[in-house]
Amino acid sequence: SRSTSALGGRSGNFDKVLKMIDEMVELLGKEQSDDDSKKGYCEEQIDKTEDASKVLEKKHGDIMAAMADAQESIEVLKSEIEALTAGIKALDKSVEEATDLRKSENAEYKETLAADTAAKKLILIAKNRLAKFYAPSLYKPPPKQELSEEDHIAVNMGGTPPPTEAPGGIAGTGVTYLQQDSAPMFVQVNRHQASSVEAPPPPPETWDAYQNKEQEHNGVVALLDMLVADLDKEMQEMEAEETTAQKEYEEMMAESAAKRTADSEAITSKEGIKADLEQQVQAMDEESNAILKEGMAKAEYLKDLHLECDWLLSNFEVRKTARAGEVDSLKKAKAILSGADYELLQTSRRSLRGAQ
């Protein structure tokens, strides 16, 4: 009975050992399962974080490139706006200068036209006064004075008409304008006119003498007609030049106004585009800063992952192999112990049968 008890005690000890072996095998299996899970988690999180970091890095690079392009466009727009503004100032100055020149040309035209008109009137008056003495049939007397209604009544009642006012102007001709530059010609005409107002010379004694006077008169008249023709030609040319100059000035004004309007609209458009680009640059800058912060957070998280996972990942296979070997050894030990327990039990039973 003591032998039986002893054998039973040994068998009980083997059971405890075998149980401990099972528990150790189970623990090793759980540890390996935990390592497998941790390895999968680490690899997944590291890959995911690295991919996200690469995406953020690319996105940040794209934003920086877009910002650089926008800044370059803004600088180009600034230059174009400055050029257009300077062009408008230059255009305004040229318009002002052209306007001043046109006013000056027009004033000169009017002054010269008035002088030529006055000169022509004087020449025609001189020609008419010469005709009064040398060709009475060609003389045109001045228009009779028109009496007012009161003067008509006074004359009808036996009164005298009011005295005729002497014409003013140059030498009593009524012409009041004499251009200074043309004075020598008018003075010459005026001298001839003054001499023609005097009493005519005594009748010529012979037909030859009279014929010489008539030829002289005809020569003077021809000269006056030539002067009038020259003045008419000059006035026609001046009028044509003035018309052309005014037309060209108006065309320039129209073109300048159209260009100024177009340039002003271009400036407004470019300033709007520039403002939009500046807003985009500001938004991209804010987005870039946000991406940098997110990238820094990802980098910090990746650093923590490596601190947590690098040792496991680098020793995973070693630990797995070691555990497998340990489990295999435990299982072999269990088998050995299980076999020894069985042999001991059989021996014990044979001993008991022999004792009986």
Side-chain angles (χ1 to χ4, degrees):
S1 61
R2 281 185 182 178
S3 298
T4 304
S5 299
L7 290 170
R10 291 178 182 178
S11 177
N13 289 333
F14 281 148
D15 289 340
K16 289 181 180 179
V17 172
L18 293 173
K19 183 179 179 182
M20 288 176 64
I21 289 173
D22 289 337
E23 288 175 353
M24 289 180 67
V25 169
E26 183 180 355
L27 178 61
L28 290 170
K30 185 176 182 303
E31 287 179 354
Q32 185 60 47
S33 177
D34 290 344
D35 280 0
D36 290 339
S37 298
K38 189 64 177 285
K39 177 177 180 291
Y41 165 79
C42 286
E43 291 176 340
E44 180 184 359
Q45 288 300 312
I46 289 174
D47 289 344
K48 185 177 179 180
T49 305
E50 287 178 346
D51 290 343
S53 297
K54 290 178 181 178
V55 170
L56 289 174
E57 184 178 356
K58 184 179 184 305
K59 188 175 182 180
H60 182 263
D62 292 341
I63 289 175
M64 295 304 294
M67 285 179 64
D69 291 341
Q71 288 287 4
E72 184 178 354
S73 298
I74 288 172
E75 294 302 320
V76 171
L77 286 169
K78 283 182 180 179
S79 299
E80 292 176 348
I81 290 171
E82 289 175 358
L84 286 170
T85 303
I88 288 177
K89 289 182 179 179
L91 180 65
D92 290 343
K93 184 178 180 181
S94 66
V95 166
E96 182 180 358
E97 291 175 352
T99 300
D100 292 341
L101 178 61
R102 182 83 281 273
K103 288 180 179 179
S104 174
E105 291 176 345
N106 181 257
E108 182 180 357
Y109 160 74
K110 290 179 178 179
E111 182 179 358
T112 305
L113 182 65
D116 285 358
T117 302
K120 181 178 177 180
K121 287 181 178 179
L122 285 174
I123 293 171
L124 293 177
I125 290 172
K127 180 181 175 181
N128 190 49
R129 288 188 178 181
L130 287 174
K132 181 176 182 181
F133 297 104
Y134 294 102
S137 61
L138 300 177
Y139 175 72
K140 297 179 181 179
K144 295 181 179 180
Q145 180 182 7
E146 294 185 4
L147 300 178
S148 65
E149 185 176 353
E150 294 178 355
D151 292 337
H152 270 296
I153 295 174
V155 170
N156 291 335
M157 294 180 66
T160 59
T164 302
E165 294 183 4
I170 302 171
T173 61
V175 179
T176 58
Y177 185 89
L178 178 64
Q179 189 177 10
Q180 185 175 359
D181 295 341
S182 303
M185 179 185 71
F186 292 151
V187 169
Q188 184 177 3
V189 172
N190 193 29
R191 287 175 181 172
H192 183 85
Q193 173 188 344
S195 63
S196 65
V197 173
E198 298 174 358
E205 296 179 359
T206 63
W207 173 253
D208 291 338
Y210 180 80
Q211 188 176 16
N212 290 336
K213 289 292 183 180
E214 185 177 4
Q215 289 176 351
E216 181 181 353
H217 168 255
N218 292 338
V220 172
V221 169
L223 176 62
L224 295 178
D225 288 340
M226 184 175 64
L227 291 175
V228 170
D230 289 342
L231 288 172
D232 287 338
K233 181 180 179 182
E234 181 180 355
M235 286 189 287
Q236 289 176 358
E237 291 176 351
M238 286 170 47
E239 184 177 359
E241 290 175 357
E242 172 66 13
T243 301
T244 301
Q246 182 64 23
K247 181 180 178 181
E248 290 176 351
Y249 170 75
E250 291 174 356
E251 289 175 352
M252 178 192 172
M253 291 298 103
E255 291 174 358
S256 299
K259 179 171 176 53
R260 197 182 197 285
T261 299
D263 288 351
S264 298
E265 291 175 352
I267 289 176
T268 302
S269 175
K270 290 179 184 296
E271 285 179 342
I273 296 172
K274 175 173 164 288
D276 291 341
L277 285 174
E278 288 173 342
Q279 290 181 352
Q280 292 176 19
V281 168
Q282 183 178 358
M284 286 188 288
D285 185 56
E286 293 173 356
E287 186 178 1
S288 172
N289 291 333
I291 289 174
L292 286 176
K293 290 181 181 179
E294 186 178 357
M296 291 174 64
K298 292 288 183 185
E300 189 67 24
Y301 178 60
L302 186 61
K303 176 183 174 183
D304 293 340
L305 281 175
H306 281 295
L307 290 174
E308 180 183 357
C309 300
D310 282 356
W311 185 87
L312 172 65
L313 294 175
S314 61
N315 295 283
F316 178 80
E317 292 299 331
V318 175
R319 285 163 60 82
K320 182 178 180 181
T321 301
R323 282 196 189 99
E326 191 174 355
V327 168
D328 185 61
S329 298
L330 287 172
K331 286 181 178 181
K332 287 180 180 179
K334 179 181 178 183
I336 292 170
L337 290 174
S338 297
D341 186 32
Y342 178 75
E343 291 293 330
L344 182 59
L345 181 59
Q346 293 297 324
T347 303
S348 178
R349 285 177 179 176
R350 285 195 297 268
S351 298
L352 288 174
R353 290 193 188 115
Q356 291 176 357

